[in-house]
Amino acid sequence: MIGAVVRFNLTGIKEMKALVYHGPGKMSLDDCPKPEITAATDAIVKITKTTICGTDLHILKGDVISCQPGRILGHEGVGIVEQVGASVTAFKPGDRVLISCISACGKCKFCRIQMFSHCTTGGWILGNSIDGTQAEYVRIPYADTSLYPIPAGADEEALVMLSDILPTGFECGVLNGKVQPGNTIAIIGAGPIGLAALLTAQFYSPAEIIMVDLDDNRLEIARRFGATKTVNSKDGNAAEAVMKMTGGQGVDAAIEAVGIPATFELCEKIIAPGGTIANIGVHGIKVDLHLENLWDRNLTITTRLVDTVSTPMLLNVVQSKKLDPKLLITHRFKLADVLGAYETFGHAANTKALKVIIDM
């Protein structure tokens, strides 16, 4: 029948291992039912590599109320298509694919303006409102518009970074920050997202890129990645240091890549008249907007969830060797040790972790 849903399980496997969120501060590696196709536009993907995102840590802190206990976490990864629904035309079993962190129906009013993050039946749902990728298998809704074919010979570890952090750093930070040639920009937070913004900001040749963080190790990595100046904010004087570096004028773009009140308020203190504050961070508590200081500054403040519209371009840049996302990978684990991966990633100041790869 046309449009029928394919439900046949080719492998006969009924259970899988998956990392499950059980409420704030609680998670475990559990035996879970293997996902099945529930709509004709679905695909089942066997995960080969995944990773942990800072957003997963926010979920574990209880900052993301849409993610309820019992959810399999994760929204990044690469894998092999195992099954497809009857309406999937772009992929077939055996195809190697990159999973987008954003699921897009391609038809709703938001998808039609390429605001895929606000797809009325998709958006950021993986590892949030539906089960995610930190598992042996995952169900991908709207497979035709939520997966990307992996080019022959591509480095799959590098491509995991294109599921989320590279398009997020680029779209929410660089594009929303309106970075232009000759600009002076500051990136607050030298974690994986901040470093992704640093790498992709260089597409636009800013004159100065100032990286601000508490961790000297990450600031050293930022210098290797292209930061022209760095500021350790541990002493509480980061705003004064950035203003001194800019001759008292401030920066043209301040990119917030942490998600706490202190870092957003730092952006407010260092932004130049006419500048743009681009928020990337996931904020779990309120932040003060000091309009008493900003009302006359001709500023733009942007917020955004990544739409992944830049993923095809970033794939091309990575394939051409103009960008190496593997620079962000510091640790590798097996799924069986995913709790150790979280421990390492969650204590990055001690472990010097950036992105961790989890192999099946």
Side-chain angles (χ1 to χ4, degrees), residues 74-95:
H75 51 267
E76 303 164 86
V78 296
I80 302 168
V81 175
E82 183 179 272
Q83 296 173 255
V84 295
S87 295
V88 176
T89 60
F91 300 96
K92 63 184 186 304
D95 286 347

Side-chain angles (χ1 to χ4, degrees), residues 73-308:
L73 295 185
H75 51 267
E76 303 164 86
V78 296
I80 302 168
V81 175
E82 183 179 272
Q83 296 173 255
V84 295
S87 295
V88 176
T89 60
F91 300 96
K92 63 184 186 304
D95 286 347
R96 306 190 79 87
V97 291
L98 166 66
I99 297 167
S100 174
C101 64
I102 298 296
S103 301
C105 75
K107 297 177 181 180
C108 71
K109 70 173 186 176
F110 293 113
C111 284
R112 285 178 177 270
I113 59 171
Q114 292 193 308
M115 197 183 294
F116 303 132
S117 61
H118 289 273
C119 173
T120 56
T121 52
W124 174 42
I125 54 176
L126 285 175
N128 179 13
S129 57
I130 69 170
D131 288 335
T133 59
Q134 290 169 15
E136 293 178 290
Y137 296 88
V138 64
R139 180 179 70 88
I140 303 297
Y142 308 121
D144 279 345
T145 44
S146 305
L147 296 172
Y148 295 89
I150 292 179
D155 188 321
E156 294 188 7
E157 279 196 348
L159 295 193
V160 173
M161 304 299 106
L162 270 66
S163 282
D164 183 358
I165 63 164
L166 275 175
T168 295
F170 181 59
E171 295 176 18
C172 303
V174 178
L175 294 184
N176 264 22
K178 303 176 185 176
V179 175
Q180 298 294 320
N183 277 174
T184 295
I185 72 172
I187 301 171
I188 314 304
I193 288 290
L195 292 172
L198 168 63
L199 290 170
T200 54
Q202 293 170 74
F203 294 164
Y204 294 95
S205 300
E208 299 279 2
I209 304 177
I210 303 168
M211 208 80 182
V212 181
D213 200 275
L214 296 165
D215 188 327
D216 284 330
N217 173 65
R218 288 189 166 185
L219 292 174
E220 173 58 32
I221 292 169
R223 286 189 288 271
R224 295 205 308 265
F225 284 11
T228 57
K229 294 184 173 71
T230 57
V231 175
N232 189 309
S233 55
K234 192 177 296 184
D235 62 4
N237 297 319
E240 292 84 351
V242 172
M243 294 304 288
K244 184 176 180 180
M245 289 176 177
T246 58
Q249 293 186 3
V251 298
D252 299 302
I255 297 172
E256 199 287 329
V258 182
I260 61 173
T263 49
F264 189 88
E265 291 183 33
L266 175 58
C267 291
E268 296 180 52
K269 292 175 182 177
I270 64 174
I271 194 68
T276 300
I277 298 174
N279 183 81
I280 306 177
V282 177
H283 291 271
I285 59 175
K286 75 177 185 69
V287 175
D288 291 329
L289 178 62
H290 291 282
L291 284 178
E292 74 276 13
N293 300 323
L294 304 175
W295 68 270
D296 63 345
R297 303 292 297 280
N298 291 43
L299 300 179
T300 300
I301 298 176
T302 64
T303 65
R304 182 173 181 172
L305 187 61
V306 64
D307 293 305
T308 66

Side-chain angles (χ1 to χ4, degrees), residues 40-80:
T41 51
D42 288 350
I44 304 299
V45 176
K46 178 178 173 61
I47 297 291
T48 55
K49 298 179 189 295
T50 184
T51 185
I52 303 169
C53 181
T55 305
D56 297 321
L57 299 185
H58 279 283
I59 290 172
L60 285 168
K61 287 192 285 186
D63 289 346
V64 183
I65 60 174
S66 54
C67 185
Q68 293 296 302
R71 180 66 60 224
I72 295 172
L73 295 185
H75 51 267
E76 303 164 86
V78 296
I80 302 168

Side-chain angles (χ1 to χ4, degrees), residues 27 52-54 56-58 60-61 192 215 218 330-331 333 338-356:
M27 60 181 169
I52 303 169
C53 181
D56 297 321
L57 299 185
H58 279 283
L60 285 168
K61 287 192 285 186
D215 188 327
R218 288 189 166 185
T330 56
H331 294 74
F333 296 85
V338 66
L339 297 180
Y342 266 90
E343 182 73 14
T344 297
F345 186 68
H347 294 86
N350 297 324
T351 63
K352 299 184 178 180
L354 290 175
K355 289 296 281 186
V356 301

